[in-house]
Amino acid sequence: MDLNKLILKWYDKNKRDLPWRNTKNPYNIWVSEIILQQTRMEQGIYYYNRFISKFPDLKTLANSDEKEVLLLWQGLGYYSRARNLHFTAKHIFNELNSQFPETYDELIKLKGIGDYTASAISSICFEKARPVLDGNVFRIISRVFEIKNPIDLNNSRKVFKEKAYEIMPNKRFGDYNQALMDFGSIICKPVNPLCSSCVLSKVCNAFKNDSVGNYPVKSTKNQVKSMHFNYLVVKNKSQFLIEQINEGIWKNMYQFPVFISESKKNKKDVIKFFSEKFHVENLRLEPVDSEYINHKLSHINIKSKFWLFEDKMKHNRGVYVSSFKDYPMSKLMHKFIEKYKYKLGLS
Ligand code: SF4
């Protein structure tokens, strides 16, 4: 039997019961695919349900404030996904008369929609013959066909894409793509794949040649950079100064004023930086704790230190707040606030 028939037969018996599986509404599929990028399934389901209950359709999302979307996205990371969802919802609502594009070529023009999401939406919602290429599919294809091209190199994409087209069925394109995603998560897993009970074992070259552990091939490990973030916690009576972030992964969210550097900085450096930033002299700072709070992102390890300044800054940047609940903030900010809330006089 062909590989695609084996996969579809397996899917018909084993498909996961996910909240977006019983709809072909492109809005729901789009939201689910964006949330699931870089997210564990369990966490993805939780955020998807919350997102859909707050923004049940395109119109509601398009008419909402970006701040509300970021608030709901807190803790999920990769916040550009939330900003792009909001931007594109407004674009479809205002410029495309609320008509979700159906073809890959139209979908890929939308902000935040790349090859993977355009293929997923066009196949799942509109039955277009577009194969998806995510980590699961790269892994399955590389093992079944023993493809040695490193999956993390751009020029390998073409090889995998051609193979993905070659093995597509001639119908049920949406089911087939979802079947591959489920199969990769449940059977052909990154570590300890279930080869002995796998329906593809008879057609899988890596299994036949006992080389499963060699695939997928990666060129190098991603370089993770270390960065130092020194935050200034300005406390004035029961209020704290926070600023909106202008750029980067946390754009439009809020945080304490920060001094970012590649090398470690001492108290003198931190005082100098913030004295210049806020045009103040004799800045008196004390570390909230002698320990760092470490925070890992995909490409950066952040070592963060928080410095307390108890007074009011005379400047017109940022906003003084007594509660952070209405301001979208990163996980790192929440980690700090949670750990030191008593010390900061927060209940
Ligand atoms: S036999 Fe093993 S490596 Fe091959 S497809 Fe099945 S689970 Fe993956």
Side-chain angles (χ1 to χ4, degrees):
M1 203 186 282
D2 294 342
L3 183 149
N4 56 48
K5 290 203 180 78
L6 291 166
I7 290 270
L8 279 165
K9 204 171 157 201
W10 174 87
Y11 181 66
D12 289 338
K13 279 196 203 138
N14 299 287
K15 91 183 218 192
R16 289 180 291 187
D17 182 20
L18 302 171
W20 49 90
R21 278 283 158 82
N22 297 319
T23 178
K24 287 191 184 285
N25 184 321
Y27 174 73
N28 295 63
I29 299 299
W30 174 46
V31 170
S32 72
E33 292 298 344
I34 297 294
I35 286 178
L36 283 180
Q37 290 165 17
Q38 320 282 347
T39 305
R40 282 178 296 106
M41 181 58 78
E42 205 179 296
Q43 192 189 25
I45 293 172
Y46 170 75
Y47 273 88
Y48 172 84
N49 286 334
R50 274 187 359 147
F51 197 95
I52 291 297
S53 84
K54 175 123 183 137
F55 309 110
D57 49 41
L58 186 88
K59 185 178 173 189
T60 317
L61 180 59
N63 289 326
S64 66
D65 198 82
E66 187 192 75
K67 195 173 158 194
E68 289 177 71
V69 184
L70 287 170
L71 266 176
L72 205 127
W73 206 268
Q74 281 185 117
L76 198 52
Y78 299 96
Y79 294 91
S80 59
R81 292 182 295 172
R83 291 189 293 270
N84 290 340
L85 263 177
H86 183 243
F87 178 93
T88 296
K90 279 167 60 166
H91 173 77
I92 297 174
F93 183 71
N94 294 320
E95 312 296 329
L96 307 181
N97 201 18
S98 295
Q99 286 303 303
F100 220 100
E102 296 189 8
T103 66
Y104 175 94
D105 292 340
E106 291 168 308
L107 284 160
I108 202 146
K109 287 185 196 148
L110 301 173
K111 195 169 177 183
I113 294 191
D115 172 65
Y116 170 80
T117 313
S119 302
I121 298 172
S122 62
S123 63
I124 297 169
C125 309
F126 306 109
E127 278 304 330
K128 308 281 186 216
R130 287 282 179 177
V132 292
L133 268 190
D134 71 344
N136 291 311
V137 183
F138 272 117
R139 192 166 59 252
I140 298 167
I141 290 182
S142 73
R143 287 173 175 170
V144 170
F145 299 99
E146 287 193 302
I147 295 178
K148 293 187 173 55
N149 301 57
I151 59 165
D152 53 346
L153 293 186
N154 270 344
N155 51 14
S156 301
R157 260 196 103 73
K158 194 167 168 268
V159 176
F160 282 91
K161 198 77 174 179
E162 276 170 14
K163 189 51 94 178
Y165 267 112
E166 209 178 282
I167 60 175
M168 271 211 117
N170 51 19
K171 57 183 181 191
R172 297 187 66 192
F173 305 115
D175 280 351
Y176 173 70
N177 278 336
Q178 296 189 90
L180 281 172
M181 296 176 208
D182 280 11
F183 188 80
S185 304
I186 299 169
I187 306 290
C188 196
K189 299 182 291 179
V191 181
N192 300 328
L194 309 180
C195 300
S196 52
S197 55
C198 173
V199 295
L200 299 188
S201 57
K202 285 202 171 67
V203 296
C204 176
N205 287 304
F207 181 67
K208 282 193 247 170
N209 298 327
D210 199 17
S211 65
V212 174
N214 298 341
Y215 298 93
V217 175
K218 287 189 182 163
S219 62
T220 47
K221 286 212 177 301
N222 284 339
Q223 293 272 324
V224 178
K225 200 171 169 184
S226 282
M227 298 289 284
H228 290 260
F229 283 32
N230 281 282
Y231 286 99
L232 180 66
V233 183
V234 180
K235 184 179 181 197
N236 179 44
K237 294 178 187 149
S238 60
Q239 293 202 312
F240 294 87
L241 174 68
I242 54 173
E243 295 180 329
Q244 195 167 29
I245 305 164
N246 294 327
E247 56 184 7
I249 53 167
W250 293 323
K251 186 177 169 188
N252 294 352
M253 299 176 78
Y254 290 79
Q255 64 182 4
F256 299 119
V258 67
F259 172 26
I260 300 173
S261 57
E262 288 189 10
S263 57
K264 189 176 168 185
K265 298 294 176 192
N266 60 27
K267 185 172 172 178
K268 225 168 116 192
D269 300 322
V270 177
I271 289 178
K272 183 170 182 285
F273 176 86
F274 285 114
S275 298
E276 285 173 9
K277 173 176 167 114
F278 291 113
H279 307 291
V280 285
E281 286 172 11
N282 306 321
L283 195 58
R284 286 160 287 105
L285 302 183
E286 285 310 321
V288 176
D289 196 339
S290 55
E291 299 204 349
Y292 288 95
I293 291 186
N294 294 315
H295 188 66
K296 287 189 177 180
L297 299 171
S298 57
H299 291 85
I300 314 174
N301 279 341
I302 298 176
K303 271 182 118 68
S304 61
K305 191 150 181 148
F306 293 77
W307 301 84
L308 187 61
F309 172 74
E310 293 201 59
D311 205 345
K312 194 169 172 81
M313 285 282 184
K314 289 195 191 73
H315 67 94
N316 50 11
R317 303 171 66 139
V319 46
Y320 279 91
V321 299
S322 48
S323 159
F324 302 107
K325 75 175 176 35
D326 292 330
Y327 297 88
M329 292 178 132
S330 68
K331 230 182 204 170
L332 171 58
M333 287 292 100
H334 284 294
K335 248 192 227 175
F336 167 75
I337 293 164
E338 187 55 34
K339 189 166 179 188
Y340 296 105
K341 61 185 176 192
Y342 298 114
K343 204 164 180 175
L344 299 174
L346 289 157
S347 50

